[in-house]
Amino acid sequence: MNLRRQIAVTVAVVSFLVALTLGLLVHQASVRQHTEQARRSAEAALESLLAAYSGTGVVVGQTAAVEEATAGAPAATGLPEELRRLALQGHEGSMFGPGPHGTAMWAAAGSGGKVFSVRVDYREDERAVAELDRTILLSATLAVAVTVLAGVFTADRISSRLRTAARTARTIARGDLAARIGPLGGPRDEVADLAAAVDSMSAVLRGRLAGEQRFTADVAHELRTPLTGLLTAAELLPPGRPTELVRDRVRFLCGLTEDLLEVSRLDARAEPADLSVLPLGPLLTGITSAGPPVRLRTDGDGLVTTDPRRLDRIVSNLLANAHRHGLPPVDVRVEGTTVSIRDHGPGYPDDVLRDGPQRFRTGARERGNGHGLGLTIAQGHAEAIGVELLLDNHPDGGAVAELRLPAGAHPGVEPPAGEQGEWVTGEQPTRVPPTAQR
């Protein structure tokens, strides 16, 4: 149950309980008032009857009666038996009882061997109480309805503002640190304070991230020139094992510097994507043929909207990661607009699957050495061209990277026809017939 429903249900329940409590209190007060009034009227009529009978011996009033005080004989006037026994004992009292036209208030007293009784009709009082109950019920229903509507309206405003804040927070979490919640168009309350805190946090994070990006770009830029000179100087060293080690380390540093510069450009979104509609199968065949051998299988390729240069970089980084950290064979499979790359190594570590690629983190020790920028660069290019990159481990072992490319549609362009099958690619692609597949 969301917050809006919780507030609406709470307001409805509280309103109902308050209306029920007030209705019961008013009903009891009204009944008590009418009862006391009828009792006083009956007692006053009884006193008048006793006074008149003692002076004149005549019973005055249609609801007044006098009968002989005979124990065990039924009351001829309809007087309740309990009240009649009380009067026979010489006491005076009153109580409700049945009358000829409904409920009545009876008052009785015993004197001189006689029972004096008076009846006051209670029908009008009952009708007044019933009318009051209907009025209370109607008023309570209207009050609960209005209160619930007001609660729903208030809850909807609060919920709407919170949903706006949540949407903006999710946008910030996806990497758009320029997103802001704003004032939300409401009063300065706790929701507004929350929005201001999230906006402030986003601004601080954006500033810190921009500082880190500038620092990375500056460091990579400053390292580029001396490393280029160092690489040139290493080429002039005499042949030998130490020279090879120096050249290898210098090349590694140069590659790291170029990767840092590429990460900085991706962070800054400095290069727009050059999108075009292309058939995915031939595009993957050309990319995979330029590196170490892989097994390429196409199960029906389709047209995709992509940047060929960036897609080449993504797939090349994923293949390099599979060859460096996994075990052969490396399988590449094309299904429609989806590309999956699988190795047969130990798979991705749990922190990579949980948190995604992290800079300068290669995951588990058994995945080998490296500076951990390959997956980061692949993810950055994938986001730039609208490709969804998913990392997982295969149930039978090995890391699986899946690329879901946006479908492309271009009038008059059809993907080239070709047979489905498995390809082993390397410097020269070689096709394995379907009958020879494993």
Side-chain angles (χ1 to χ4, degrees):
M1 186 181 294
N2 56 30
L3 180 61
R4 178 174 56 182
R5 292 183 180 178
Q6 291 181 20
I7 295 177
V9 170
T10 302
V11 170
V13 171
V14 172
S15 301
F16 174 77
L17 293 177
V18 170
L20 179 62
T21 303
L22 291 178
L24 290 175
L25 292 175
V26 173
H27 171 78
Q28 292 177 355
S30 176
V31 170
R32 190 181 303 112
Q33 178 184 0
H34 284 276
T35 299
E36 293 299 326
Q37 182 178 354
R39 191 181 304 278
R40 287 194 298 268
S41 298
E43 291 174 350
L46 180 61
E47 291 179 1
S48 298
L49 171 63
L50 293 174
Y53 190 82
S54 63
T56 62
V58 178
V59 177
V60 180
Q62 296 180 354
T63 60
V66 179
E67 58 180 291
E68 295 296 331
T70 304
T77 59
L79 180 67
E81 187 61 28
E82 183 179 355
L83 185 59
R84 185 170 181 273
R85 287 197 301 268
L86 183 67
L88 289 175
Q89 297 173 2
H91 300 291
E92 181 179 337
S94 61
M95 65 176 295
F96 281 115
H101 305 292
T103 305
M105 176 66 74
W106 292 85
S111 177
K114 297 182 182 297
V115 175
F116 298 86
S117 63
V118 175
R119 185 186 75 250
V120 175
D121 193 5
Y122 197 71
R123 288 181 303 168
E124 294 297 328
D125 297 271
E126 286 183 329
R127 282 197 288 267
V129 172
E131 183 66 27
L132 178 62
D133 289 343
R134 286 192 292 270
T135 303
I136 291 174
L137 180 60
L138 178 61
S139 302
T141 303
L142 292 176
V144 170
V146 171
T147 305
V148 170
L149 290 176
V152 169
F153 176 73
T154 304
D156 185 70
R157 290 191 60 193
I158 296 175
S159 178
S160 176
R161 296 165 69 198
L162 289 176
R163 286 197 302 270
T164 301
R167 283 196 301 268
T168 306
R170 285 192 291 268
T171 302
I172 295 172
R174 288 193 294 267
D176 185 7
L177 297 181
R180 295 293 182 271
I181 300 175
L184 293 177
R188 187 68 185 181
D189 53 10
E190 289 81 357
V191 179
D193 292 340
L194 174 63
V198 173
D199 288 345
S200 176
M201 178 190 68
S202 176
V204 172
L205 289 177
R206 186 182 186 188
R208 291 184 178 179
L209 183 58
E212 292 179 1
Q213 292 172 354
R214 285 194 300 270
F215 174 77
T216 303
D218 293 343
V219 168
H221 220 287
E222 293 299 325
L223 288 176
R224 195 178 198 181
T225 301
L227 285 176
T228 302
L230 187 60
L231 181 61
T232 303
E235 296 294 333
L236 300 178
L237 294 175
R241 180 60 179 168
T243 299
E244 291 299 323
L245 291 176
V246 171
R247 290 174 180 173
D248 179 70
R249 292 298 88 191
V250 171
R251 291 193 188 98
F252 178 81
L253 287 175
C254 289
L256 175 58
T257 303
E258 293 300 327
D259 286 346
L260 287 174
L261 288 173
E262 188 169 4
V263 169
S264 299
R265 289 194 296 271
L266 289 172
D267 288 338
R269 295 179 173 83
E271 300 178 3
D274 185 13
L275 300 177
S276 56
V277 179
L278 298 169
L280 183 58
L283 189 60
L284 261 293
T285 301
I287 295 174
T288 56
S289 64
V294 300
R295 297 193 304 187
L296 174 63
R297 179 183 177 88
T298 57
D299 294 337
D301 56 16
L303 292 175
V304 295
T305 302
T306 188
D307 184 334
R309 181 185 64 83
R310 290 180 182 263
L311 182 61
D312 189 332
R313 183 65 164 145
I314 295 170
V315 176
S316 298
N317 277 21
L318 293 176
L319 290 176
N321 187 78
H323 284 290
R324 181 181 299 116
H325 303 301
L327 295 174
V330 176
D331 296 323
V332 180
R333 186 170 184 175
V334 180
E335 292 183 282
T337 60
T338 301
V339 180
S340 61
I341 300 173
R342 177 197 172 191
D343 62 49
H344 290 75
Y348 292 113
D350 294 337
D351 58 343
V352 173
L353 297 179
R354 182 181 62 251
D355 304 327
Q358 302 294 320
R359 301 175 187 180
F360 300 104
R361 288 176 57 186
T362 58
R365 182 178 300 174
E366 63 268 16
R367 290 186 63 83
N369 299 320
H371 46 69
L373 293 179
L375 288 179
T376 303
I377 292 173
Q379 186 182 49
H381 283 296
E383 292 176 355
I385 60 176
V387 174
E388 186 178 6
L389 174 58
L390 303 176
L391 304 179
D392 200 358
N393 289 330
H394 197 275
D396 297 330
V400 179
E402 185 175 271
L403 295 171
R404 298 179 180 177
L405 287 80
H410 196 284
V413 176
E414 296 292 338
E419 299 181 5
Q420 296 182 359
E422 184 176 308
W423 296 77
V424 176
T425 64
E427 296 299 330
Q428 296 296 328
T430 303
R431 188 171 190 276
V432 179
T435 56
Q437 296 175 16
R438 291 178 293 171

